[in-house]
Amino acid sequence: MVKITFMGAGSTVFSKNVLGDSMLSPAMHDCEIALYDIDGDRLDESFTMLQAINKNCNQGRATIRKYLGVPNRREALKGADFVVNAIQVGGYDPCTITDFEVPKKYGLRQTIADTLGIGGIFRALRTIPVMLDFAADMEAVCPNAWFLNYTNPMAMLTGAMLRATKVKTVGLCHSVQSCAEGLMHGVDMDYDDKVQWKIAGINHMGWLLEITRDGVDLYPEIKRRSREQGAPEWDKVRHEIMHTFGYYVTESSEHNAEYMPYFIKSKYPELIERYNIPLDEYPRRCVNQIEGWKRMRESLVNNPNLEHTRSHEYASYIMEAIVTNKPYKIGGNVLNHGLITNLPEKACVEVPCLVDASGVTPCFVGDLPEQLASLNRSNINVQLLTIEAALTLKKECIYYAAMMDPHTAAELSIDDIKAMCDDLIEAHGDWLPKYK
Amino acid sequence: MVKITFMGAGSTVFSKNVLGDSMLSPAMHDCEIALYDIDGDRLDESFTMLQAINKNCNQGRATIRKYLGVPNRREALKGADFVVNAIQVGGYDPCTITDFEVPKKYGLRQTIADTLGIGGIFRALRTIPVMLDFAADMEAVCPNAWFLNYTNPMAMLTGAMLRATKVKTVGLCHSVQSCAEGLMHGVDMDYDDKVQWKIAGINHMGWLLEITRDGVDLYPEIKRRSREQGAPEWDKVRHEIMHTFGYYVTESSEHNAEYMPYFIKSKYPELIERYNIPLDEYPRRCVNQIEGWKRMRESLVNNPNLEHTRSHEYASYIMEAIVTNKPYKIGGNVLNHGLITNLPEKACVEVPCLVDASGVTPCFVGDLPEQLASLNRSNINVQLLTIEAALTLKKECIYYAAMMDPHTAAELSIDDIKAMCDDLIEAHGDWLPKYK
Amino acid sequence: MVKITFMGAGSTVFSKNVLGDSMLSPAMHDCEIALYDIDGDRLDESFTMLQAINKNCNQGRATIRKYLGVPNRREALKGADFVVNAIQVGGYDPCTITDFEVPKKYGLRQTIADTLGIGGIFRALRTIPVMLDFAADMEAVCPNAWFLNYTNPMAMLTGAMLRATKVKTVGLCHSVQSCAEGLMHGVDMDYDDKVQWKIAGINHMGWLLEITRDGVDLYPEIKRRSREQGAPEWDKVRHEIMHTFGYYVTESSEHNAEYMPYFIKSKYPELIERYNIPLDEYPRRCVNQIEGWKRMRESLVNNPNLEHTRSHEYASYIMEAIVTNKPYKIGGNVLNHGLITNLPEKACVEVPCLVDASGVTPCFVGDLPEQLASLNRSNINVQLLTIEAALTLKKECIYYAAMMDPHTAAELSIDDIKAMCDDLIEAHGDWLPKYK
Amino acid sequence: MVKITFMGAGSTVFSKNVLGDSMLSPAMHDCEIALYDIDGDRLDESFTMLQAINKNCNQGRATIRKYLGVPNRREALKGADFVVNAIQVGGYDPCTITDFEVPKKYGLRQTIADTLGIGGIFRALRTIPVMLDFAADMEAVCPNAWFLNYTNPMAMLTGAMLRATKVKTVGLCHSVQSCAEGLMHGVDMDYDDKVQWKIAGINHMGWLLEITRDGVDLYPEIKRRSREQGAPEWDKVRHEIMHTFGYYVTESSEHNAEYMPYFIKSKYPELIERYNIPLDEYPRRCVNQIEGWKRMRESLVNNPNLEHTRSHEYASYIMEAIVTNKPYKIGGNVLNHGLITNLPEKACVEVPCLVDASGVTPCFVGDLPEQLASLNRSNINVQLLTIEAALTLKKECIYYAAMMDPHTAAELSIDDIKAMCDDLIEAHGDWLPKYK
C-alpha cells in the first residue's frame, strides 16, 4: 500500500489535483494519504474536500489523515513512499510584499520574483531551512521515499536538497509539458501528440531545442508566423527571445522578463509597454487568489458531491510509473553531473527523465547551443551562490548572489545592491536564520 | 510512411521476428520494407516468407522489396527511417571455423568467441569495414535513419560506428530483458512485471545491479536458494560470478566463461566439468542451425499460410516508440560520455535508454561497484584496442587487443599470442583488409 | 640553433624587449631571428635597432632577417622553433577609433575595449582571421613551433587558435606576474620573492587566490590598509572588487571597470569620478604613444650605441626553459580541459603552467570560489560566442556575444545592441570577412 | 624555521640521504628535525649518525630530536612543515616472509611483492591503518604540513591518504627520474640534461611517453640497438614490454615481471630463464640488507667524522622549492582528477608536478596511448579494490582485489585465490585489523 505525504496540504486546489489524481489511479486506489500543514483551517478544508472525493470517486478506498504543525510532521512522513512538497514560507503577507516593496525603494522593479532576482533569492533563503528540516525527518523516518518538489524557486530549492541531503529529490514544473503546445497555439498552429519536442536547460529557462512533426522542423514556420502576425499579447518577451536567441523558452513571458537584463530597464521605460510586461504581477495574483479562494471554497470544501477527474499534473503519473513499473517520461529538475555538458556540474538542470520502478533517472543531453548555455549560466550563477548562502549562512554570499543577478546588476550599483540586501534581511526578521 | 531496411535479410528467422512484428504494429502497417543481403537464395527465401506474412496478417498493406548485393545496397538504404543490422561476415565456414581452429593449435580453448577473446577480436576486424561501408552509404542516402545493430561483437561494432561515423546507432541485445526472469526461474522463483531491476555495464557483461519486489531486495533469497539447491546445470558460471563478485551478469554462462580468466584454465582442467563449460559450443550450434534450417525452411518459406504473432524482440517496439512518441525503455549500447562514471569515456556501454520521438536517449547511471567496473574495464581494454586496430589498420593494435584479453593473457605467452594473431591474419586472407 | 619568428615586428619597443632578451640569454646567443611585418618602415626601424643590439651586446652572434608582407610570411615562419605574436589588426586609425566612436553613439562608454565588451568583440573578429592564416602557414612550415601569443583580446584569440588549429599555442600577459607586487605596493607593503601567491581564472580576470608570507595569509592586512588609507587613486575599481568579492584581480582598474556591469552606469554617473574611471583611455594612450614614438625613435632606431639589459618579459624565459630543459613557471592562457573545474571546458583559462623541454604544461587548479567563477563565466560567455562567430561567420553569433556582455547588456536594449553591431560591421568594411 | 618529521627514522641510509640533504640545503640549515620510530635501537643509531652530520657538515645549526613509539608520535608531528614517510609495517620477519611463503603454497610465484599482486595487497592492508593514524595526528597538530610518502605500495597508500584524509600528500619514487638515463645507458647511449622526456602513468608502471634530443625522437635508435645487441641482462622484461607495447616503463624488470600476466607462467616455465626473472628477489634483498647493515653500521653510526654530500633524492629539493618558492619539477603520485583522461578519476597516478611555495601542483597529461592505459587500468583495478578493502574492512574486497590481479588471476582458480587470501589473513594475525 502506497503512502503519500503532502507537505503544504492547505494548498487546496493543488492538493485536489495531485491527490485526487492519485486516488483515481488504479495503482493507488487504496493509498494512505497524509496531509501536513501548519495552518489548521486550511488543513481542515483540504481534508474535508479530499474525504469527499475519496467517497464520491474512489469508493472510500483511500485512507486520509491530517497532521497539524511541526510536532506532528515526523509522524506524517513516517513510512512515506512519496512526499509531495507544495509549501510556501512566509506567504503573501508579509514575505511576498517584502520581496517587492523593499527593492522598489531602490528602483528595482520585478514581475514575479519567485525564481531569480532579488525576490527569488530571498524566497529561497527563507524556504531552504524549512526543507532541510523536512529532509532531516525524511532521512530518519522514510529514507527511501521520493521527494517531489513543486515549490519555487525550483532550481535553488531542489539543488539545495540534492547537495545537502540524502533525500531522493526531483523538482517538477508545469512549464515543460505545456511549452510546445502553448507556442504553437500562440501562432495558430495545431498541436497533437505526434509533435516531437526536446526540452533541456534550467527550470523556467528550459529551451525548446527541437520541435518537429514527421521529421520536419517546425521552427521556421512558427517564426514566420510570429514575425508576420506578431507575437501574442501575453507572450511578447518569449517571442523576442526566440527571434533573438533562436529558441523558445519554457516559462512565461512575465517570468522571463526578469531573468534577463533586456526588458525591465530604467533607461528604456518604453519597453514595459512594448513587451507588455506586467510589473508587480505576482502580488496582484496573490490578492486575486485570496479573493478567489473565498468564492471557490464553497464549491470545493463545502460540496459533499464534489467529483474529480484526472488532470494532466505530472505527480500522479510519476508515482504510478514508479509503483507499476510502466515507463513514463518527464522533464525533471536534477543535479547536473555531466548531463548538460556545457553547464556547471553543480547546477540543478531540467532535463528529460525516465520514470519507472527504478525511480527517476535523468537522460543525457550534451552541449546546449552556446548562447543558450550562456543565458542559463547567467542564472545558475545566482542559484549556486544563493544555495551557498543558505548552507553557510555567510551574508556576503547573499550579496554575491544578488550582484550576479543580470537584472539587478544592470539596474543598481554595488552600494545599492548591498543596502537593499541588508534592508531585506532586516525586513525578514525571524523568517530568516541569523547570517554572519 | 516508415521505411525499414534490413541488412542481412537472409537471417530468415530473425527477419521474420523483427519485420513480422513491425507489420503487426499499427503504427507501421503500411511500412516499406527493404531486404538486403549478398546471398541471393537466402534473400529470396526471406522475401517469400515475408510476403506471406504481409498477405496473411497485414492485409498486404506493407510494401516489400529485395536488394541483392553491394551494387544495390545504397538503393536499399535510400530514405530509410530505420536500418536493422543482422549481418554475419565470413559465416560459419570459413571464418568461425578459423576463429576456433587456429587458437586451438596454441592450446587456447573457447566457447562462443563472438564477443571478446581472440575470436571476438577477429570477428570485429572482419565486420567493422563492412559496417563502415554501410555507414558511408547511410550518411549519403538516409542521414537521419536510426541504425539498430544486432550483430556481434556488439560493443566493438557499435563503438566503431559511434566513434567513426555520424550514423545514429544503438546496439541491441536480448540478454538484458531476459536476465532477471532467467535468474529467478533458475532458482524456482516467480517472476512478473512488478519485479524491479536495474542493469548497467557493457554488452554481455551487464550487471543486475538491483532486483527488488515491493521495495524488498531479492538478492539474499536468490543467493540462499542458489547456495542451497545449487546453480542450474546450464548456469554454473554465472552463479559463481554472482557469489564471488556479488552480482548476476546478463549474458549466459557459456559466454562469460571466456570473458574472465577464471574458468577455462589449462592448469585446472577439472573446472570445465565443474562449471559445465561447453567448449567449442558456437561451432556446434552453427552446424545444428544449418541442419535445422533444412527442416525449418519448409514450414517458413514454402508455407503460403504462414502466420506471425508479435514477439518480445526489442526492434519493433523501438521503431514504434519513435514513430508514435510513446515512451519505451530499453537497455541499449551507446557511447559512454559520463553515463557510467567509473568506466572509460570512449567505451561502448549498455545502459537504460528512453525511446520516443526524440530517438534513443541514454540515462545516467553513475559509478558501478568497483569490482564490477574492474571486470568491465578488463573487457573494455580489448574492445577499445580492437576498434583502434580496425580504424588505423595497425597490426600491433591487434596484438595489443589480444594481449589485453584476460583469458588469452592467462593462457598464452607473448610470443604465442603474436604468432596466433599472425596465423589468424593469414588464415583470414581477403576477409580482412591489409594491415600495416 | 633556435629560430624565433616575430609577427608584428614593427612593435619596436616590445620586439626590443623580447628579442633583446633572447639574444642576451646564453641558450640563444646564436639564434636566428625572423622579423615579420606588413609595415615596411616600422619593420626597417626594428631591424636597424636589433642589429645594433646584436652588435653591441651579443658580439653579432645572432642572425637577423626581415620579411615584409604576406608573400614573405611563410618564409619568415619556415623552420621556426618559436613564433612570437604581437600584431595589431586595423590599428588605432581606423579600427580603434571605430571601436569607441560607434558605441558612443548608442551611449555605450568604454575605457580600453581590447578584451571584452563591444570593442573586444570586434577586435577579435578582425584579428582571428589573420591568426588563422598564420596558423595555416605554421602547420605547413613549422608544425612543431610554439606560438607565444601576446595580442589581445587574449582569451578569444588564444581560444580560437587552440580550438581551430593544431598550432601549439600559449597566451601570455604581463598582468599575472606583476599582480601581487602591485597590490602590496599600493597599500605600502614590501614585496619580495618569498611572497607566495596563486593566480587562476581567465585573462585580465585572473584571481589572486592566495597571497601569503611564511604561511601567513596577507589578505587581512592588505584589506585593513585598503579600508583605512583608501585605495590608490589608480586602482579604485580593483580594490572595490577585492572588498566586494573577496579577491584581487589581475588586470588594472581601468580594464576591469568595463568587464563588469557595476562601474560605468548611465543611471549612476557619479561612479565615474568615485572610482576614478578613465573613459576613452585606450584611444588617448594610442595618441600619446604615437606622439611618444616620434621622440623615442631617435634614441632607439638611430642610436648605433644602443644597449639592452634583460627585462622581466616572460617570452625569453619561456624559450630558454624549453631550450635548456630548466623548469620555469608562468601564468599561461590555455584551453580549460578540466583545469578549473567550475569553468566551462571550452573556455580559455589563465593558470599556472610548467615550462621545460616538454613544452608548456598547464597545472590543475580545481574549483574557484563560486562568486569568482560566476564573474569569469559572465565574461567567458562573450568569449565563446565571439569565437563561434569568427569560426562560423554567422552574424547572429556577433549579436549573441554582444548581448551576453554584462556591461553592454546592462546599458542597452536588444534593438540598440543589434543596431550597434550592424553599424560596427558596416564601419569595419573590409577589415572583417563577410558575415552571413 | 622549517620542521621536518621523519616517520620510520630507523631507516638509517634513507634518513641520511633525505635529512643530510636537507641540512645541506641553505634554505634549511637551521631546520628542526624530528625522528620518529617504534624501534628504539634503530632510532638511536639514526639520531647519532645525523648528529654527526649536523656537526661535521652543518656547523650544528639544525636541531635534532628523537621520538620513540606511538605515545610520542603526536609530539613528533606537532607543528611540522614536512612529514617524510618511510615506514615498513611488519618488517621482513614476519610479514615479508608471509607474503611470499603463503602464496608459494598455492603455486603463485613472486619477485618483489611490494606494489601489486597478492604481496602488494597485503602490504597495503597492514600499512594503511598505520598511515591513517598518522593522518589523524597530522590533522590535529600540523594540518598544513606536506606528507611526502616514500613507502610502498605507493599508489595504494597514497591513494588511501588522499581519499580518506585531509592531509596534503604526494607520493615519491626514484623510478621516474632515473628511467630515461637507465634506458639509454642500457643500450650504450650517452645521457645528459638536454635529453627531454615525459613520463606519466601509475607508480612503477609509468610510461616513458617521449624521449628526444634536439627535437629528435630517440626511440627508434634505442629500439634498434636493443634488438641488435639484445636487452641488458638485468632488463629483459622491460625491453620486451618496450618492443611489445611500444614504450619503456619506469620500474625495473624484476618488478614489472609480476605486474603483468606474461612473464611468470606455470605453463611456460622457460620464460623465467629467458627473461632472467629473479623469483623471490625481495626476501633475498632483505636478508642481504640485514647482513649488510651489520657491516655498514660501523661506518655510519659509529663514525664521528661522518660526512654527507647532497644526493639526488627528490625530498630535499621538494622541501627547498616549497620553502624558497623556486620552481622544481618532479614526477609525483596524486589523485587523478582528470589529469590522465583515460584512467579512472579515483586512481592515484604518477604525473609531472610543479613544486614551489604554492605546494605540489600536478600537471595535465591527457590521454595515454590506449594500450598503456589498458595495462595501467589492469593494475588500478587492484589498487582501488585494496583501498576499498582497507577503508571498509570488508573481506570480500580483499578477494576482489586479488582476483583482479592479472598475474594471480592467470595462475590460480577462484577457489585457490580465496583460500590463499584466507590463509594470508590468518597468518597476519594482529598485523591486520579484523575484517568482516
Side-chain angles (χ1 to χ4, degrees), chain A residues 1-4 27 29-33 61 63 65 79 81:
Chain A
M1 202 190 57
V2 172
K3 175 171 177 181
I4 306 168
H29 280 327
D30 62 348
C31 61
E32 177 184 343
I33 291 175
R61 285 174 293 194
T63 309
R65 296 196 181 88
D81 297 289

Side-chain angles (χ1 to χ4, degrees), chain D residues 44 56 70 95 107 133 172 174 181 209 227 230-231 239 284 287 297 350 357 363 394 416 427:
Chain D
D44 285 342
N56 299 337
V70 175
C95 284
D133 286 348
L172 301 166
H174 316 78
E181 184 169 4
L209 298 171
R227 271 191 306 269
H239 277 249
R284 205 154 43 231
V287 170
R297 182 194 284 141
E350 196 167 72
C363 293
K394 289 185 183 167
D416 277 357

Side-chain angles (χ1 to χ4, degrees), chain D residues 10 12 40-50 293 297 301:
Chain D
T12 318
D41 292 340
R42 299 295 305 260
L43 182 61
D44 285 342
E45 291 170 354
S46 290
F47 179 73
T48 304
M49 174 193 70
L50 288 163
W293 175 239
R297 182 194 284 141
V301 178

Side-chain angles (χ1 to χ4, degrees), chain B residues 31 141 146 229 305 314:
Chain B
C31 62
V141 300
W146 274 95
Q229 70 197 46
N305 303 315
Y314 266 167

Side-chain angles (χ1 to χ4, degrees), chain B residues 25-313:
Chain B
S25 161
M28 299 185 280
H29 281 325
D30 63 346
C31 62
E32 177 183 342
I33 291 175
L35 305 174
Y36 170 79
D37 211 306
I38 57 172
D39 178 329
D41 292 341
R42 298 297 302 262
L43 182 61
D44 285 343
E45 290 169 354
S46 290
F47 180 72
T48 304
M49 173 193 71
L50 288 163
Q51 288 284 41
I53 292 173
N54 187 29
K55 176 160 162 286
N56 300 336
C57 311
N58 189 30
Q59 306 165 34
R61 286 175 291 196
T63 309
I64 307 176
R65 295 196 181 86
K66 57 185 178 180
Y67 300 84
L68 178 62
V70 176
N72 295 302
R73 192 173 63 198
R74 196 167 276 217
E75 193 61 28
L77 291 165
K78 193 169 177 182
D81 297 289
F82 301 102
V83 178
V84 179
N85 185 46
I87 62 169
Q88 191 188 2
V89 175
Y92 165 65
D93 189 353
C95 283
T96 296
I97 295 175
T98 303
D99 288 349
F100 277 81
E101 292 308 313
V102 173
K104 207 174 284 178
K105 288 197 304 180
Y106 291 85
L108 188 64
R109 297 168 299 162
Q110 300 175 90
T111 48
I112 305 291
D114 74 339
T115 308
L116 208 78
I118 196 67
I121 293 167
F122 275 84
R123 180 176 278 252
L125 295 177
R126 62 185 182 257
T127 309
I128 289 173
V130 177
M131 286 178 59
L132 297 183
D133 287 348
F134 291 3
D137 283 352
M138 289 181 66
E139 288 170 0
V141 300
C142 57
N144 292 318
W146 274 95
F147 187 78
L148 310 182
N149 180 51
Y150 275 96
T151 298
N152 277 331
M154 180 58 68
M156 296 176 187
L157 303 188
T158 305
M161 287 293 283
L162 288 167
R163 284 169 58 186
T165 82
K166 290 178 183 153
V167 173
K168 295 188 291 184
T169 302
V170 64
L172 300 167
C173 178
H174 316 77
S175 64
V176 174
Q177 67 256 58
S178 58
C179 175
E181 182 170 5
L183 170 61
M184 291 185 72
H185 287 170
V187 292
D188 302 325
M189 289 171 73
D190 290 335
Y191 176 87
D192 60 50
D193 282 359
K194 295 291 290 291
V195 175
Q196 176 270 341
W197 46 262
K198 182 176 169 188
I199 288 177
I202 58 172
N203 179 250
H204 287 190
M205 201 191 261
W207 302 103
L208 182 64
L209 298 170
E210 300 172 5
I211 181 166
T212 68
R213 193 200 304 267
D214 299 330
V216 178
D217 183 4
L218 298 177
Y219 258 135
E221 173 66 9
I222 291 167
K223 289 178 185 173
R224 189 188 64 75
R225 287 170 179 243
S226 169
R227 271 192 306 268
E228 291 181 6
Q229 70 197 46
E233 271 309 298
W234 49 271
D235 208 20
K236 287 172 171 296
V237 167
R238 284 203 283 182
H239 277 248
E240 176 68 271
I241 292 169
M242 178 176 70
H243 291 299
T244 295
F245 292 103
Y247 296 85
Y248 195 64
V249 66
T250 46
E251 191 43 88
S252 67
S253 278
E254 60 268 25
H255 275 84
N256 270 279
E258 63 185 7
Y259 303 160
M260 301 180 188
Y262 312 116
F263 300 102
I264 307 174
K265 298 185 85 64
S266 52
K267 200 177 145 197
Y268 292 84
E270 69 276 16
L271 298 180
I272 301 301
E273 193 175 329
R274 175 168 159 205
Y275 289 119
N276 194 22
I277 298 168
L279 297 172
D280 294 325
E281 171 69 7
Y282 189 68
R284 205 155 42 233
R285 284 188 197 171
C286 290
V287 170
N288 288 342
Q289 204 173 21
I290 291 164
E291 276 309 303
W293 174 240
K294 292 176 190 163
R295 290 188 303 275
M296 204 192 283
R297 182 194 282 140
E298 203 55 29
S299 68
L300 285 184
V301 179
N302 299 324
N303 176 358
N305 303 315
L306 183 66
E307 300 275 341
H308 181 74
T309 51
R310 200 155 176 190
S311 77
H312 287 291
E313 200 65 60

Side-chain angles (χ1 to χ4, degrees), chain A residues 244 262 265-268 274 346 367 370 374 377 381 384 400 403 409-412 415-416 418, chain C residues 244 262 265-268 274 346 367 370 374 377 381 384 400 403 409-412 415-416 418:
Chain A
T244 294
Y262 312 117
K265 298 185 86 62
S266 52
K267 201 177 143 197
Y268 293 83
R274 173 165 161 207
K346 291 196 201 97
D367 270 3
E370 204 62 50
S374 292
R377 285 191 291 250
N381 290 341
L384 296 181
Y400 300 156
M403 274 182 298
E411 292 288 285
L412 301 190
D415 283 355
D416 277 356
K418 289 182 186 171
Chain C
T244 295
Y262 313 116
K265 299 185 85 62
S266 52
K267 199 176 145 197
Y268 292 83
R274 172 165 161 207
K346 291 197 201 99
D367 270 3
E370 205 61 52
S374 292
R377 286 192 291 252
N381 290 340
L384 296 181
Y400 299 157
M403 274 182 297
E411 292 289 284
L412 301 189
D415 282 357
D416 276 356
K418 289 181 184 170

Side-chain angles (χ1 to χ4, degrees), chain A residues 124 142 154:
Chain A
C142 57
M154 180 57 67

